[in-house]
Structure formats: structure tokens, C-alpha cells
Amino acid sequence: MPERSSEVDGDLEAMSRDRLIVEIRRLRAGIREHRDATGHDLCWHHPQLWGLLPEPVDQAIAVPPWPKFLRGCLRYRESLDRQRPDAPAFEGEYPERSSS
């Protein structure tokens, strides 16, 4: 991984200290937005987060068939039960989202 990192992060070498601080704050804000997601937003496609990276996001994602996808969702939810058994239950329905 360090090799790929040096390839895509070469722009950091040319940034001034002030520009690096701006970049760090922008990235931290994106990470906090993702971290603070709750309810149904915990398990969602996050192109806004990935868009914080300088390299383009490949829009051609692979989506597993429904049974495999749902098993993954169940494993994720079960991991939350283990990691955060004290988390309050969110009773809201999954919101309709536009496809744009």
C-alpha cells in the first residue's frame, strides 16, 4: 500500500503549510460527517466521502446479488450489536432517496 500511497499523494509534497492545514480540515470534516452518520445512513454508498480524495472515483461499482448483499448487511448490523450493544435503537423507516 505505501507504493500506491506515494503515487496518489505526491501533490502533498508541493503544498504549503497553510494549504496542508486547509486540506487536513477538509478531510477531517468529511471523516466526521461519515463517523457521525446514524440510523439508515450508516449503511449507504458514500461518494461524497470518496470525493475528498484527489484521484477520481470509479463510478463502475460491483453490486452483489441480493442474498449476498443482505447477508453482508446482517453481518454489519450484528457487528454493531457486538461493538455498541449500548447504542439506542433507531426506529425510523428507511427514507426514500432520489436516484440522481
Side-chain angles (χ1 to χ4, degrees):
M1 183 162 178
E3 294 166 9
R4 176 163 160 68
S5 179
S6 63
E7 291 172 16
V8 297
D9 293 333
D11 61 324
L12 297 174
E13 300 293 330
M15 289 184 187
S16 69
R17 180 183 184 280
D18 289 342
R19 178 66 186 107
L20 285 169
I21 290 171
V22 168
E23 183 69 6
I24 289 167
R25 287 183 176 146
R26 185 178 74 89
L27 295 173
R28 284 181 174 185
I31 292 167
R32 287 181 182 114
E33 182 178 347
H34 182 71
R35 176 202 65 195
D36 295 343
T38 190
H40 293 287
D41 287 335
L42 286 170
C43 189
W44 192 251
H45 183 69
H46 291 281
Q48 297 88 352
L49 179 63
W50 308 329
L52 295 172
L53 296 169
E55 63 269 17
V57 175
D58 185 357
Q59 297 298 319
I61 62 170
V63 179
W66 276 106
K68 290 181 181 181
F69 180 82
L70 292 174
R71 281 194 299 272
C73 288
L74 287 172
R75 281 196 298 269
Y76 174 65
R77 182 61 182 84
E78 289 167 349
S79 77
L80 290 175
D81 285 341
R82 286 189 305 276
Q83 296 172 44
R84 290 292 315 274
D86 59 330
F90 177 79
E91 299 294 337
E93 289 293 326
Y94 188 78
E96 289 294 322
R97 295 185 185 250
S98 67
S99 59
S100 57

